[in-house]
């Protein structure tokens, strides 16, 4: 959709608010204050809101049934024109609201001029943003769910694949890859809760607040709320037109979700590096280098990590936008749209591409296993073995530290020592020690809710499938 930047047929007197002014607004100011270039994106919800408002105006007898019918017809035609890309957006008409209203009046005459009775652009735009955001949250929730399902499938395939678990990016203890992936399932679950919770506060109707104080017409706000599927009406007119906390909340939830995906991306990038060699990402999500023929770069996770910055940036932008505003509406709020649109676009496409990418990951289980064998990952298991035989934990920690030191010097893992060599560190050690020194023994022993044992991972996956409404496999 393009915007007509100046239209000689449109004179100052035609501006919706021009009656009070003695000179036309400067051309540069017109461009500076206009929002139609970006807020035309709200056209569909703007019309949806107007249709509900008109229906209420008719039902309460504020305008005639004939006017309502004309408005309905006119707006329906306008929506069709907009969606066909045949609507002429005029910069002189400032924003999406005035563009549509002007076109309506051109089409149906005075009835079009009656649509704005008992309403202001202030409560109109607040309603539009909420309606639009509602749809975005619904799409976000299905995007999260699709990503969770992709995670579950990968975790299912690797419920007993062993990799090193890290703390400080140093090998810590063996974990199952499925368990590692299920950590992200949990994070996404909390993200979904946050969006669903924000939805409750988004889904209230500002219309009826008018410019700031309400209106003297006998309106029925509950009817409008019901027609538009809002859970209720905003209870204070000044608050209704001015606060954008619901949008900031959405952005905050988006920032947290992107933070999670950025962490995941960082891991995918590391794992795909030949130094790790844990995974490969399908070629369709990677690019090469124009100079180094051997390169295959994990562009998608890198961009997710990068785009997280812009979502954080928009959150700071919106918070800052609000902080100095006195009640009630101020034009500052027009600046809420571009960041919000960008957050929504970034978030939704990221969720979609991420789910696809997870399905394009191949896992090198042998490399994961080898890495777990190289880092004395079962040292804690040896300490626990001694504790179970009566040694105090601090002493056991010390014994194992000496064994690890010897292992480092000799270049061998604990499981590669002979029984006699191990007994030199503690006489409590017996032949059954090798059961706990194996990677499989180590992960299988962490068999409680939240633990890394394959049995627990499979249970967690089954529960997750149930929670997402999937039939058990
Ligand atoms: N384009 C404006 C916005 O986005 C619409 C509301 C304008 N209201 C006003 N009184 N100028 O906030």
């Amino acid at each position: 959709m393009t915007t007509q930047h100046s239209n000689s047929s449109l004179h100052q007197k035609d501006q919706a608010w021009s009656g009070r002014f003695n000179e036309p607004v400067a051309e540069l100011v017109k461009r500076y204050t206009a929002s139609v270039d970006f807020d035309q994106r709200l056209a569909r919800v703007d019309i949806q809101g107007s249709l509900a408002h008109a229906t209420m105006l008719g039902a309460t007898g504020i305008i005639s049934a004939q006017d309502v019918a004309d408005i309905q017809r006119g707006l329906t035609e306008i929506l069709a024109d907009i969606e066909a890309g045949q609507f002429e957006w005029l910069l002189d008409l400032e924003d999406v609201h005035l563009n549509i209203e002007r076109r309506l009046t051109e089409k149906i005459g005075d009835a079009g001029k009656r649509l704005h009775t008992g309403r202001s652009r202030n409560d109109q735009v607040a309603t539009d943003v909420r309606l639009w955001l509602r749809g975005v949250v619904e799409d976000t929730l299905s995007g999260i769910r699709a990503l969770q399902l992709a995670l579950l499938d990968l975790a299912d395939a690797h419920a007993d694949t062993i990799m090193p678990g890290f703390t400080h990016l140093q090998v810590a203890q063996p974990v199952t890859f499925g368990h590692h992936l299920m950590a992200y399932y949990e994070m996404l679950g909390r993200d979904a809760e946050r969006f669903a919770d924000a939805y409750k506060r988004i889904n209230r109707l500002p219309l009826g607040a008018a410019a700031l104080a309400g209106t003297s017409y006998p309106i029925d706000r509950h009817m409008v709320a019901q027609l538009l599927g809002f859970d209720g009406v905003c209870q204070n007119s000044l608050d209704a037109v001015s606060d954008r906390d619901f949008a900031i909340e959405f952005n905050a939830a988006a920032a947290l979700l992107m933070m999670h995906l950025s962490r995941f991306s960082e891991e995918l990038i590391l794992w795909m590096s030949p130094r790790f060699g844990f995974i490969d990402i399908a070629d369709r999500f990677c690019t090469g280098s124009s100079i180094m023929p051997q390169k295959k770069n994990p562009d998608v996770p890198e961009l997710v990590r990068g785009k997280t910055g812009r979502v954080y940036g928009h959150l700071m932008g919106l918070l800052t936008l609000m902080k100095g505003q006195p009640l009630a509406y101020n034009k500052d709020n027009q600046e809420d749209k571009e960041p919000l649109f960008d957050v929504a676009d970034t978030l939704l496409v990221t969720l979609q591409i991420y789910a696809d990418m997870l399905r394009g990951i191949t896992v090198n289980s042998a490399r994961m296993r080898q890495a777990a064998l190289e880092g004395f990952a079962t040292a804690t298991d040896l300490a626990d073995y001694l504790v179970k035989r009566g040694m105090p934990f601090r002493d056991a920690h010390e014994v194992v530290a000496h064994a690890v030191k010897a292992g480092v010097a000799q270049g061998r893992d604990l499981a590669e020592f002979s029984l006699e060599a191990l007994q030199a560190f503690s006489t409590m050690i017996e032949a059954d020690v090798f059961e706990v020194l194996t990677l499989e023994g180590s992960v299988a022993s962490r068999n409680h809710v939240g633990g890394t044992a394959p049995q627990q991972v499979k249970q967690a996956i089954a529960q997750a499938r149930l929670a997402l409404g999937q039939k058990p496999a």
Side-chain angles (χ1 to χ4, degrees):
M1 286 183 272
T2 52
T3 308
Q4 194 79 31
H5 278 254
S6 83
N7 181 337
S8 49
S9 69
L10 192 77
H11 297 292
Q12 170 70 8
K13 66 177 171 46
D14 295 324
Q15 217 108 37
W17 36 259
S18 60
R20 187 221 177 283
F21 288 79
N22 293 321
E23 60 172 1
V25 71
E27 192 55 39
L28 183 60
V29 173
K30 199 188 286 174
R31 269 185 273 136
Y32 193 71
T33 54
S35 54
V36 64
D37 276 340
F38 50 86
D39 69 11
Q40 54 184 263
R41 202 169 153 169
L42 295 173
R44 172 174 266 280
V45 288
D46 192 69
I47 288 173
Q48 190 188 351
S50 288
L51 286 170
H53 180 67
T55 302
M56 180 279 288
L57 290 178
T60 50
I62 299 169
I63 62 175
S64 72
Q66 186 57 54
D67 284 342
V68 179
D70 290 347
I71 289 170
Q72 278 167 347
R73 179 175 49 80
L75 287 176
T76 308
E77 286 173 19
I78 289 170
L79 182 59
D81 285 348
I82 291 171
E83 297 202 324
Q86 276 159 10
F87 189 88
E88 193 189 15
W89 298 100
L90 298 178
L91 192 83
D92 301 72
L93 291 174
E94 220 176 301
D95 56 25
V96 61
H97 322 294
L98 296 178
N99 268 272
I100 290 173
E101 193 188 313
R102 163 62 62 96
R103 185 78 190 99
L104 182 66
T105 301
E106 275 170 16
K107 273 180 179 293
I108 66 170
D110 280 355
K113 298 184 192 165
R114 294 199 178 96
L115 171 61
H116 213 52
T117 312
R119 181 176 81 167
S120 151
R121 274 185 295 156
N122 298 351
D123 58 346
Q124 186 178 357
V125 72
T127 303
D128 289 4
V129 174
R130 284 171 185 264
L131 282 172
W132 175 80
L133 206 48
R134 218 165 67 170
V136 172
V137 171
E138 283 159 9
D139 291 347
T140 302
L141 289 172
S142 30
I144 292 176
R145 184 173 182 279
L147 178 51
Q148 284 181 310
L149 289 174
L151 260 176
L152 289 181
D153 287 345
L154 195 57
D156 228 349
H158 294 283
D160 40 29
T161 299
I162 293 178
M163 68 181 284
F166 298 90
T167 60
H168 314 273
L169 205 55
Q170 309 288 321
V171 172
Q173 293 173 354
V175 296
T176 47
F177 187 45
H179 189 56
H180 193 111
L181 293 170
M182 287 302 285
Y184 287 102
Y185 172 86
E186 291 293 317
M187 295 177 225
L188 290 171
R190 292 193 297 279
D191 288 319
E193 281 177 26
R194 268 184 284 274
F195 282 105
D197 199 64
Y199 189 96
K200 296 184 212 157
R201 286 172 291 282
I202 292 169
N203 201 26
R204 292 186 197 143
L205 175 77
L207 269 181
L212 75 165
T215 175
S216 57
Y217 298 97
I219 57 170
D220 183 345
R221 298 187 67 204
H222 294 288
M223 177 189 291
V224 180
Q226 206 181 4
L227 287 170
L228 292 173
F230 282 103
D231 291 328
V233 303
C234 298
Q235 294 292 319
N236 179 290
S237 63
L238 298 165
D239 176 43
V241 290
S242 62
D243 204 2
R244 296 291 183 266
D245 60 351
F246 63 91
I248 297 174
E249 240 184 290
F250 163 77
N251 198 345
L256 283 169
L257 173 52
M258 289 299 292
M259 178 274 287
H260 289 147
L261 295 183
S262 182
R263 296 186 69 189
F264 198 3
S265 297
E266 171 68 10
E267 298 205 304
L268 295 181
I269 293 162
L270 281 173
W271 294 343
M272 195 180 128
S273 150
R275 295 289 161 138
F276 276 77
F278 287 3
I279 61 161
D280 196 24
I281 299 177
D283 287 359
R284 62 185 180 279
F285 299 101
C286 299
T287 64
S289 158
S290 55
I291 176 167
M292 298 165 283
Q294 85 283 11
K295 290 298 286 293
K296 177 177 164 184
N297 299 327
D299 290 49
V300 169
E302 287 175 315
L303 276 173
V304 171
R305 198 174 55 184
K307 285 174 189 291
T308 300
R310 74 199 262 169
V311 174
Y312 288 7
H314 290 317
L315 175 59
M316 282 308 121
L318 288 181
L319 282 167
T320 311
L321 178 66
M322 276 321 304
K323 76 180 276 290
Q325 287 193 50
L327 288 178
Y329 176 85
N330 302 279
K331 188 80 163 185
D332 311 40
N333 279 341
Q334 182 165 289
E335 288 288 308
D336 66 354
K337 284 163 208 65
E338 287 160 294
L340 269 181
F341 293 159
D342 190 57
V343 169
D345 292 341
T346 304
L347 193 63
L348 293 174
V349 72
T350 299
L351 284 168
Q352 193 191 339
I353 204 166
Y354 226 93
D356 291 349
M357 183 176 62
L358 285 191
R359 297 195 184 279
I361 282 183
T362 47
V363 176
N364 189 334
S365 311
R367 285 295 295 260
M368 287 186 173
R369 192 186 160 76
Q370 192 53 39
L373 284 172
E374 279 161 10
F376 300 97
T378 56
T380 314
D381 296 274
L382 179 54
D384 290 342
Y385 171 91
L386 293 168
V387 168
K388 281 169 194 156
R389 271 160 188 67
M391 189 181 287
F393 182 77
R394 277 289 153 236
D395 294 342
H397 186 281
E398 179 79 6
V399 165
V400 178
H402 284 116
V404 167
K405 202 169 169 186
V408 171
Q410 298 164 30
R412 67 175 70 173
D413 192 64
L414 295 179
E416 291 164 348
F417 279 97
S418 67
L419 179 59
E420 294 70 36
L422 286 173
Q423 283 170 335
F425 299 105
S426 166
T427 50
M428 280 184 182
I429 295 175
E430 289 170 48
D432 62 352
V433 72
F434 292 104
E435 284 161 35
V436 306
L437 291 184
T438 64
L439 298 175
E440 285 71 17
S442 172
V443 295
S445 68
R446 287 165 169 74
N447 194 13
H448 54 76
V449 174
T452 196
Q455 201 189 336
Q456 293 296 330
V457 175
K458 281 174 195 142
Q459 217 160 301
I461 293 169
Q463 269 171 20
R465 290 203 190 281
L466 216 60
L468 294 182
Q470 263 200 341
K471 285 201 180 76

